[in-house]
């Protein structure tokens, strides 16, 4: 199976840089029991000093490199967009809002838009679309310059349920169309339950046909899939589809690089989107401490996070880093083309260990199969 049209990379335009280092904090409670005024003073001090310490540690890390440093301004930029089969241009780096809590996600979106992001990746199940929509409304960025993605949850796969679920997301986001709408998982539940709908799980074509209808009606511009393995993609595309999947959003990072899926997708013209590009929350620190990542960061004068995100875009994927920290949001948008030897070194390191998938809800959903079986 080969899709009739392939996506294309476009030149990069403006990018933005920043600082990114985690800070190990000691427990101050023992020294704070003496006076509430001391507590207040220390809190105020920390509020001012922590960003400075983080920046200083990041710069100290770079200055401690044993190899000559290269100025990041001399690095070539990577594609800022890909062109989908529809002709629409999707930004190569997005702000992911998965696990961004209420009260934080709105400020994260505002910060991202100010930093230059134009791609926001969300979903109905994230439970934060209303706050995202409020931040978008408060922004001066025109709707036509934004790329908004949402996802169809498992309980809405029945064709008669899809439009109402879509309309809920549209209302909360404050828009009358989505740039991209994905089937979130290749698993369908019966409405309002976690009981497996075996028919729609085995054959997602009726779901896809309804999505195609919504494209024709202008409520969605592009449709795609998420967490589909090769076998499940082939099962869907074996049907006579009017519109092929534009993207497949999957867990893709140093610990779970999925080279076979990446190669197959390129050969078949299917663009991959990488969620958790720095690893899951418990993996981020380990990702930024990978020796090859640190060495390349030192050599190029960029941060370890920028190395990993740049490597991901250079692999030909859209990258969805998530953060609510302003400096890190800005930093994650700055991607650079790694020298070929550094790119290959990191690719080799990533594909030389056993894959470590973190996101697999099969057991939690009590499925009688592994959702990634056969990948």
């Amino acid at each position: 199976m080969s899709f009739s049209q392939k996506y294309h990379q476009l030149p990069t335009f403006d990018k933005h840089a920043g600082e990114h280092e985690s800070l190990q904090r000691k427990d101050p409670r023992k020294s704070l029991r003496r006076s509430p005024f001391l507590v207040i003073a220390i809190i105020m001090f920390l509020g001012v000093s922590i960003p400075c310490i983080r920046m200083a540690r990041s710069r100290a890390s770079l200055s401690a490199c044993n190899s000559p440093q290269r100025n990041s301004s001399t690095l070539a930029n990577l594609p800022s967009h890909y062109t989908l089969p529809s002709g629409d241009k999707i930004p190569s780096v997005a702000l992911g809002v998965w696990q961004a809590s209420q009260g934080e996600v709105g400020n994260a979106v505002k910060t991202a838009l100010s930093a230059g992001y134009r791609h926001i990746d969300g979903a109905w199940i994230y439970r934060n679309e209303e706050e995202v929509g409020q931040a978008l409304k408060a922004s001066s960025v025109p709707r036509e310059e934004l790329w908004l993605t949402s996802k169809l949850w498992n309980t809405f796969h029945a064709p008669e349920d899809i439009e109402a679920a879509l309309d809920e997301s549209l209302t909360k986001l404050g828009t009358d169309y989505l740039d991209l709408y994905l089937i979130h998982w290749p698993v369908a539940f019966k409405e309002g339950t976690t009981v497996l709908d075996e028919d729609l799980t085995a054959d997602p074509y009726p779901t896809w046909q309804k999505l195609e209808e919504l494209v024709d009606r202008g409520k969605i511009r592009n449709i795609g899939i998420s967490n589909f393995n090769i076998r499940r993609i082939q099962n869907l595309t074996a049907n006579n589809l009017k519109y092929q999947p534009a993207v497949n959003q999957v867990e893709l990072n140093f610990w779970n690089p999925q080279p076979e899926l990446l190669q197959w997708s390129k050969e078949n013209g299917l663009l991959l989107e990488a969620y958790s590009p720095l690893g899951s929350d418990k993996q981020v620190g380990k990702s930024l401490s990978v020796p090859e990542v640190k060495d390349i960061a030192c050599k190029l004068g960029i941060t370890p996070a920028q190395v990993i995100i740049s490597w991901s875009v250079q692999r030909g994927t859209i990258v969805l880093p998530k953060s609510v920290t302003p400096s890190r949001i800005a930093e994650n948008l700055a991607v650079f083309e790694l020298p070929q030897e550094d790119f290959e070194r990191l690719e080799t390191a990533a594909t030389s260990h056993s894959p470590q998938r973190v996101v697999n809800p099969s057991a939690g959903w009590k499925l009688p199969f592994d959702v990634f079986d056969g990948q």
Side-chain angles (χ1 to χ4, degrees):
M1 182 276 298
S2 179
F3 298 164
S4 58
Q5 292 179 287
K6 298 188 178 224
Y7 62 86
H8 303 281
Q9 297 181 358
L10 295 179
T12 297
F13 302 102
D14 294 336
K15 296 293 176 186
H16 306 264
E19 301 293 338
H20 183 93
E21 274 291 329
S22 61
L23 181 65
Q24 299 295 326
R25 302 181 186 176
K26 295 182 178 180
D27 185 353
R29 288 174 292 181
K30 293 182 179 179
S31 60
L32 298 182
R33 294 171 180 165
R34 298 176 183 175
S35 168
F37 299 104
L38 179 60
V39 173
I40 294 172
I42 291 177
I43 290 174
M44 293 177 63
F45 173 76
L46 289 174
V48 173
S49 64
I50 284 175
C52 298
I53 294 172
R54 181 182 290 120
M55 183 177 295
R57 291 187 62 181
S58 180
R59 290 175 176 171
S61 174
L62 292 177
S63 64
C65 297
N66 294 323
S67 58
Q69 295 179 41
R70 179 175 179 175
N71 191 316
S72 62
S73 64
T74 67
L75 298 175
N77 288 328
L78 289 166
S80 65
H81 294 74
Y82 296 98
T83 301
L84 298 178
S86 66
D88 289 343
K89 297 175 178 60
I90 182 170
S92 59
V93 179
L95 177 71
V97 297
W98 177 38
Q99 295 181 327
S101 60
Q102 292 184 1
E104 290 184 324
V105 66
N107 288 333
V109 170
K110 292 176 184 178
T111 298
L113 295 177
S114 297
Y117 285 78
R118 293 298 180 263
H119 183 176
I120 308 297
D121 180 85
W124 180 89
I125 197 64
Y126 297 168
R127 310 292 189 187
N128 57 19
E129 287 187 319
E130 187 170 6
E131 190 172 337
V132 170
Q134 292 169 352
L136 296 174
K137 184 178 180 180
S139 166
S140 61
V141 180
R143 173 64 182 92
E144 60 270 19
E145 293 182 12
L146 295 171
W147 186 280
L148 301 182
T149 297
S150 189
K151 306 178 187 74
L152 178 71
W153 187 240
N154 307 349
T155 51
F156 305 127
H157 282 211
E160 63 271 20
D161 297 331
I162 293 173
E163 188 167 6
L166 170 65
D167 286 344
E168 183 178 343
S169 289
L170 292 176
T171 298
K172 289 181 176 179
L173 291 169
T175 184
D176 57 2
Y177 72 94
L178 288 177
D179 298 280
L180 180 62
Y181 199 43
L182 307 179
I183 297 178
H184 205 152
W185 288 91
V187 175
F189 295 148
K190 295 182 179 179
E191 184 180 4
T193 74
T194 56
V195 177
L196 186 68
D197 186 322
E198 295 182 4
D199 292 338
L200 284 175
T201 297
D203 181 13
Y205 184 47
T207 302
W208 192 259
Q209 283 183 304
K210 183 63 179 182
L211 294 177
E212 290 179 327
E213 175 194 321
L214 292 168
V215 172
D216 289 338
R217 290 168 50 193
K219 300 182 83 168
I220 309 169
R221 294 185 59 89
N222 300 273
I223 48 179
I225 51 183
S226 181
N227 297 300
F228 275 57
N229 60 23
I230 294 172
R231 177 178 61 81
R232 295 184 184 279
I233 299 170
Q234 291 174 326
N235 180 44
L236 173 62
T237 56
N239 297 284
N240 185 25
L241 304 186
K242 184 174 185 178
Y243 302 115
Q244 297 289 344
V247 304
N248 182 20
Q249 187 177 127
V250 296
E251 180 183 348
L252 207 62
N253 51 53
F254 180 88
W255 307 108
N256 189 30
Q258 304 202 63
E260 296 83 5
L261 177 62
L262 179 62
Q263 183 61 36
W264 183 92
S265 298
K266 288 182 177 181
E267 292 172 353
N268 288 277
L270 178 61
L271 182 61
L272 292 186
E273 292 188 321
Y275 69 75
S276 299
L278 299 177
S280 72
D281 289 344
K282 295 181 179 180
Q283 291 176 317
V284 173
K286 185 169 69 167
S287 299
L288 302 181
S289 298
V290 169
E292 291 84 356
V293 170
K294 293 175 67 176
D295 288 349
I296 294 170
C298 283
K299 173 184 175 183
L300 302 182
I302 61 179
T303 67
Q306 288 171 333
V307 170
I308 296 173
I309 294 172
S310 297
W311 166 72
S312 298
V313 175
Q314 200 161 336
R315 298 180 91 206
T317 71
I318 294 171
V319 187
L320 314 172
K322 58 185 180 69
S323 180
V324 296
T325 304
S327 61
R328 296 177 186 177
I329 290 172
E331 174 190 345
N332 292 341
L333 186 60
V335 295
F336 308 96
E337 183 176 0
L338 306 180
Q340 189 60 28
E341 66 272 17
D342 294 320
F343 173 79
E344 292 178 358
R345 181 186 178 197
L346 191 51
E347 184 74 18
T348 298
T351 56
S352 296
H353 58 74
S354 298
Q356 302 173 30
R357 182 187 302 281
V358 172
V359 182
N360 187 345
S362 302
W365 290 345
K366 297 181 172 58
L367 299 179
F369 55 85
D370 187 324
V371 71
F372 294 110
D373 181 43
Q375 182 164 323

